[in-house]
Amino acid sequence: MPPKFKAPPEPPDLLTVAGLDGELGFVLRMAQLAVFDDLIGRLKKTGLRPSAVTVLRLVRARPGLNQQQIGDALKIQKPNLVALIGALHKSGLIDRQPSPDDKRSYALHLTEPGKKALAKAMRQLSAHLQWVSGHINEAEQTRLIKLLNCFHAPE
Amino acid sequence: MPPKFKAPPEPPDLLTVAGLDGELGFVLRMAQLAVFDDLIGRLKKTGLRPSAVTVLRLVRARPGLNQQQIGDALKIQKPNLVALIGALHKSGLIDRQPSPDDKRSYALHLTEPGKKALAKAMRQLSAHLQWVSGHINEAEQTRLIKLLNCFHAPE
DNA sequence: TATTGTTATACTCTATAACTATA
DNA sequence: TATAGTTATAGAGTATAACAATA
């Protein structure tokens, strides 16, 4: 029988000892930090934050959308959307038309520069998604998203 | 053959049309919002934020820890830890002893009130974990955490 | 009355540069 | 020189209350 070599005793990991790396909240936060770190880094080239890109994507998916509907979808409260939408409008990426059927709200549309900017952002998003795929294969990704939806889907 | 009833055509979901609910970043963010919403709500009773509870847990796991080590574990940068640790010290939950072997750093320990406060917070955390278990069973939770660790484990 | 968008405001979290005292 | 802790500061994100115009 060959002599037994004990593996050198690993120093017990601090997070493990504290029980943090087995807790959903903590792991969720750390994963989000890592994923958004990559995404934000790539979007730097476009001058847009993830939230701005998301707004542009919603407006492209449903031209004529108003702020309230965007806020509901992204769980951003009304006052906090004013600056975000305002900046997109000011930089000429979205257009605000007075809504025909409700004079209180604006119908939002992408401008031509807005479409171009979104296309550029989507190319960066593509690279980001490839980075994600480097960490977790497609099947696992689908499973992960399904599991995460346990929390945000039902509300 | 019984008559066929077509399901009423569901209005296509905005998030689905925009392709957001199939993207990890977005789903991750939404899940984290929901999970932390519950956790923060429960911790309100203790006057502590999740980050403060996490710091207390690390110090309990490794008495004598310094700020740098905490920052590394939680990915919080040094300047942003000063107020957090300072508040815990000011409210008497942690004790700062000058470190014997390195006069630049402080060795952190839980005080008796700190231990009590952490115990109280851990009871709220327990209730939170039960809430989590209401959304996703143990096996799925284990799988979810494993999948999320694909991102924060390797660095 | 209720809703859309807005202002004002405050609190948290995060990021960078520069200082101090030790090492 | 490098590291631990600090200060100052700025930028995001988020929360509440209240208002005008409209429904």
Side-chain angles (χ1 to χ4, degrees):
Chain A
M1 207 179 190
K4 254 189 194 165
F5 290 102
K6 274 190 187 166
E10 286 284 329
D13 180 49
L14 174 57
L15 294 176
T16 307
V17 176
L20 283 166
D21 63 4
E23 252 166 54
L24 183 59
F26 181 76
V27 179
L28 207 44
R29 182 183 135 78
M30 287 314 202
Q32 214 227 280
L33 275 184
V35 170
F36 271 69
D37 229 54
D38 178 82
L39 178 59
I40 291 170
R42 292 180 197 276
L43 288 179
K44 279 254 165 67
K45 302 176 181 74
T46 71
L48 297 170
R49 306 274 309 174
S51 55
V53 176
T54 308
V55 167
L56 294 178
R57 292 174 71 181
L58 291 183
V59 174
R60 179 177 61 176
R62 283 270 171 81
L65 222 56
N66 68 27
Q67 291 188 197
Q68 193 67 47
Q69 295 167 309
I70 291 173
D72 288 346
L74 304 183
K75 312 222 188 208
I76 300 178
Q77 290 170 97
K78 297 187 299 180
N80 299 327
L81 265 178
V82 175
L84 180 53
I85 305 274
L88 291 173
H89 180 238
K90 201 172 165 187
S91 34
L93 303 186
I94 59 175
D95 186 43
R96 294 161 44 125
Q97 299 289 341
S99 178
D101 36 86
D102 187 337
K103 284 178 196 164
R104 290 172 303 181
S105 64
Y106 297 98
L108 303 176
H109 297 269
L110 294 189
T111 61
E112 277 311 312
K115 287 174 189 172
K116 291 233 175 68
L118 178 53
K120 188 175 173 186
M122 291 306 279
R123 284 194 294 276
Q124 292 304 319
L125 180 66
S126 225
H128 163 71
L129 292 178
Q130 221 168 326
W131 173 87
V132 168
S133 295
H135 287 74
I136 180 172
N137 69 43
E138 287 301 318
E140 287 175 328
Q141 214 176 129
T142 304
R143 178 111 181 94
L144 174 54
I145 288 173
K146 200 169 180 178
L147 288 170
L148 289 171
N149 270 320
C150 293
F151 296 96
H152 112 259
E155 183 59 10
Chain B
M1 206 182 191
K4 253 189 193 164
F5 290 102
K6 274 188 186 163
E10 285 283 329
D13 181 50
L14 175 58
L15 294 176
T16 306
V17 177
L20 283 166
D21 63 3
E23 253 168 53
L24 184 58
F26 181 75
V27 179
L28 207 44
R29 181 183 136 78
M30 287 314 201
Q32 214 227 279
L33 275 183
V35 170
F36 271 68
D37 228 54
D38 177 83
L39 179 58
I40 291 170
R42 292 180 198 278
L43 288 178
K44 278 256 164 68
K45 301 176 182 76
T46 71
L48 296 170
R49 307 273 309 173
S51 53
V53 176
T54 309
V55 167
L56 294 178
R57 291 175 71 181
L58 291 183
V59 175
R60 180 179 58 178
R62 283 269 171 82
L65 222 56
N66 67 28
Q67 293 188 193
Q68 194 67 46
Q69 295 167 309
I70 291 173
D72 289 345
L74 305 182
K75 313 222 187 210
I76 300 177
Q77 291 171 93
K78 295 190 300 181
N80 300 328
L81 264 178
V82 174
L84 179 53
I85 305 273
L88 290 173
H89 180 237
K90 201 171 165 188
S91 34
L93 302 185
I94 60 175
D95 186 44
R96 292 160 45 124
Q97 298 291 340
S99 178
D101 36 86
D102 186 339
K103 283 180 197 165
R104 291 172 302 179
S105 65
Y106 297 98
L108 304 176
H109 296 267
L110 294 189
T111 61
E112 276 311 313
K115 289 175 189 172
K116 291 237 174 67
L118 177 52
K120 189 175 174 186
M122 291 305 279
R123 284 193 294 275
Q124 293 304 320
L125 179 67
S126 226
H128 163 71
L129 293 177
Q130 221 169 327
W131 173 89
V132 168
S133 295
H135 287 75
I136 182 174
N137 69 44
E138 288 302 319
E140 287 175 326
Q141 215 177 128
T142 304
R143 179 110 182 95
L144 173 54
I145 288 172
K146 200 167 180 178
L147 289 170
L148 289 171
N149 271 321
C150 293
F151 296 95
H152 113 260
E155 180 62 8

